Amino acid sequence: MKILFATSEAVPLVKTGGLADVSGALPLALRREGADVRLLMPGYRSVLTGAGDGWETVADLALPPFPPARLLATTLPGGLPLLAIECPPLFDREGGLYQRRAGEDWPDNDIRFGLLSRVAALLAQESSPLGWRPDLLHCNDWQTGLAPAFLAASGGGAPTLLTIHNLAFQGIFQTGTLARVGLPWDLYRVDGVEYYGNISFLKAGIQFATRLTTVSPTYAREIQSEPLGFGLQGLLAWRSRDLTGILNGIDEQTWDPARDPHLPRRYDATSLPRKEASKRALQVALGLDADPKAPLLGAVSRLTHQKGLDLLIACIEPLLESGLQLAVLGSGEPELESAFTGLAQRYPGRAGVRLGFDEAFSHLVEAGADFFVMPSRFEPCGLNQMYSQRYGTPVVARTTGGLADSITDAGAGPGTVPDATGFLFRDPTPEALAEALDRAVGAFAHRRVWRRMQRAGMARDFSWDAAARTYLELYRSLV
């Protein structure tokens, strides 16, 4: 089966969030299952330089009203074919993928990702300039959402699948964008691209794609109603029969405590006492008391309202006073950064914070913490809860999105759920989070129960191969 996987970012070339992790891992897993997958991306400067010198021009693209462009091809490590759209006026620039350095959106994002969508649609049609034509076009998030609309406007092509990674980002632009990207005005209607007087790239994809997926089964249900539908809940409910939630996977080669180069001592489910070396290293790195018996809570996160870190600030002090330790790595909203640094100042030896992001240190937090916290108000999938379980670190998390789908709650008392891997709470309140943390601290005191929880988490299959097989079944049903 031939699949064109269109995305705006992918590791290891360029990343702003979880979309890049999916785009870097899922196509490779699909290829391991026998699919002929090719990745299509914008030709950002980092993509054209990061993929090496093996580029060849495979097509000149004249697609007015877009600027002239070229389609380049190369092969990434692991054997994944990469197609990149070289268009310097749109993609060769300083700053971020979607924003200027000052944090403002690029004013021509509609044209930039309109071109990405247009090229994806072209390659999915019989008029494709390539000798290779996909059986299915897999689009991802709003940046490729116009591709199904372009196909609908031109009479069709290969079936399309749109994956919604985060519905909060929808690619909303003024109506003049229709002319700027060359879509006919008759698509500006309620059952088209119109969205409350503007147009939405994501709504276009939801409206016109053959099938829809999102990144966890629970999130697929949540986005069909308020508040997580973000204005699209009616359309998503209408298309509910075409919507499937497939839980993301993780890179089990990179996130493996038995081979992780960032840990002072490697371990697996049969050698969990070695995990204590990472706890000591984490305590030293953040200036925490070197107490092996103190329960150590870890967090690696964007410090934002969505991630629920304000709930942690509101309830953590009594726990710190009773002996809990806290290790935080992240950055985000200034008021939350200040709150966590203030916490570390008030509780020296108990709370430690490192602002920013450090990949190696994130591995140490996952391994060194006794348990991990993710109090998200919403979480389409989440990855850290999977990393934590793989590292024998039970998770305290809210029952939303992929957190609910990937964590088995321990129940009311230690040992009541034999295969438990964490502690879930429902309401996004400090009181509910505090109750879950109390349960975690209580379970930590029962070493036999705790070891069983650790091993249950480490036994979970969060590989991309499992997700790839589910995607392939869905692809086959469309083709």
Side-chain angles (χ1 to χ4, degrees):
M1 179 175 291
K2 295 178 288 186
I3 309 297
L4 179 63
F5 195 95
T7 182
S8 60
E9 55 185 89
V11 296
L13 299 172
V14 64
K15 174 180 176 178
T16 68
L19 170 61
D21 294 306
V22 175
S23 301
L26 177 55
L28 286 172
L30 290 167
R31 287 184 66 83
R32 288 195 295 270
E33 295 295 323
D36 179 3
V37 184
R38 303 192 184 189
L39 191 66
L40 174 67
M41 293 181 63
Y44 309 115
R45 185 181 305 173
S46 59
V47 169
L48 298 185
T49 57
D53 300 324
W55 292 102
E56 64 171 318
T57 300
V58 293
D60 292 310
L61 302 172
L63 300 168
F66 298 106
R70 293 193 305 165
L71 190 64
L72 309 180
T74 191
T75 302
L76 293 174
L80 179 64
L82 170 64
L83 299 167
I85 305 165
E86 184 188 45
C87 186
L90 299 183
F91 301 126
D92 185 10
R93 56 181 63 172
E94 300 288 342
L97 302 192
Y98 315 119
Q99 296 178 324
R100 303 177 189 270
R101 291 190 185 277
E104 304 167 341
D105 287 351
W106 292 110
D108 59 348
N109 273 347
D110 54 347
I111 301 176
R112 300 172 74 229
F113 299 106
L115 177 59
L116 174 60
S117 295
R118 179 69 182 88
V119 174
L122 173 66
L123 300 183
Q125 295 175 293
E126 291 185 3
S127 57
S128 168
L130 302 182
W132 178 91
R133 180 171 177 264
D135 299 310
L136 181 136
L137 169 60
H138 189 156
C139 303
N140 292 273
D141 265 353
W142 72 264
Q143 295 90 343
T144 55
L146 285 191
F150 278 117
L151 287 171
S154 62
T160 53
L161 175 71
L162 172 71
T163 296
I164 302 165
H165 297 263
N166 191 335
L167 194 67
F169 302 97
Q170 300 182 5
I172 299 172
F173 302 95
Q174 296 181 347
T175 56
T177 286
L178 282 171
R180 285 159 61 88
V181 301
L183 277 173
W185 184 255
D186 62 12
L187 289 186
Y188 183 74
R189 58 182 193 266
V190 172
D191 61 344
V193 303
E194 187 272 339
Y195 182 78
Y196 297 101
N198 293 300
I199 73 166
S200 164
F201 280 35
L202 187 60
K203 185 202 172 185
I206 295 170
Q207 184 74 52
F208 292 109
T210 313
R211 286 289 296 270
L212 309 169
T213 66
T214 191
V215 290
S216 70
T218 294
Y219 192 59
R221 294 189 295 272
E222 290 175 332
I223 61 177
Q224 294 180 50
S225 60
E226 294 181 340
L228 297 187
F230 290 100
L232 291 171
Q233 61 271 7
L235 176 58
L236 287 161
W238 180 69
R239 295 217 61 190
S240 61
R241 292 185 178 182
D242 300 321
L243 174 61
T244 304
I246 302 175
L247 190 68
N248 281 344
I250 61 173
D251 183 343
E252 291 193 323
Q253 301 298 312
T254 300
W255 292 95
D256 180 0
R259 68 181 79 185
D260 193 329
H262 305 301
L263 306 186
R265 195 175 185 192
R266 298 170 188 174
Y267 62 93
D268 59 21
T270 66
S271 57
L272 275 166
R274 297 178 185 174
K275 190 176 189 293
E276 294 297 323
S278 292
K279 181 174 182 176
R280 288 194 297 273
L282 182 58
Q283 289 171 325
V284 170
L286 291 178
L288 303 177
D289 296 337
D291 182 356
K293 295 184 179 180
L296 176 52
L297 177 65
V300 178
S301 177
R302 287 183 290 113
L303 305 182
T304 65
H305 181 267
Q306 180 214 321
K307 297 295 184 180
L309 274 302
D310 56 304
L311 304 178
L312 184 62
I313 288 289
C315 75
I316 196 66
E317 293 198 41
L319 289 163
L320 293 173
E321 291 168 0
S322 67
L324 181 77
Q325 293 182 338
L326 176 66
V328 176
L329 170 65
S331 62
E333 296 167 4
E335 58 271 24
L336 282 174
E337 291 187 356
S338 297
F340 277 107
T341 54
L343 197 68
Q345 292 166 1
R346 291 195 303 278
Y347 292 92
R350 297 284 180 85
V353 178
R354 181 173 291 188
L355 296 179
F357 184 73
D358 182 321
E359 179 71 19
F361 196 70
S362 72
H363 286 241
L364 184 62
V365 176
E366 294 287 3
D370 293 308
F371 46 103
F372 196 89
V373 64
M374 297 181 70
S376 303
R377 286 182 168 84
F378 70 94
E379 194 68 62
C381 177
L383 296 175
N384 281 98
Q385 81 276 15
M386 301 183 200
Y387 302 154
S388 297
Q389 290 172 79
R390 186 157 171 76
Y391 278 61
T393 306
V395 189
V396 179
R398 186 163 172 265
T399 52
T400 183
L403 302 179
D405 294 326
S406 57
I407 300 168
T408 302
D409 182 57
T416 57
V417 181
D419 60 347
T421 62
F423 307 86
L424 296 173
F425 66 98
R426 186 183 67 181
D427 298 327
T429 65
E431 294 77 15
L433 172 57
E435 187 275 335
L437 288 169
D438 284 337
R439 286 196 291 135
V441 172
F444 179 70
H446 295 77
R447 301 307 295 172
R448 185 173 297 178
V449 170
W450 196 256
R451 281 285 188 255
R452 189 168 65 191
M453 289 188 68
Q454 290 178 300
R455 292 189 178 106
M458 298 179 83
R460 296 289 299 271
D461 181 4
F462 292 125
S463 70
W464 269 111
D465 292 336
R469 288 190 288 272
T470 305
Y471 273 105
L472 275 173
E473 290 176 9
L474 182 55
Y475 292 163
R476 293 186 185 108
S477 73
L478 299 178
V479 175

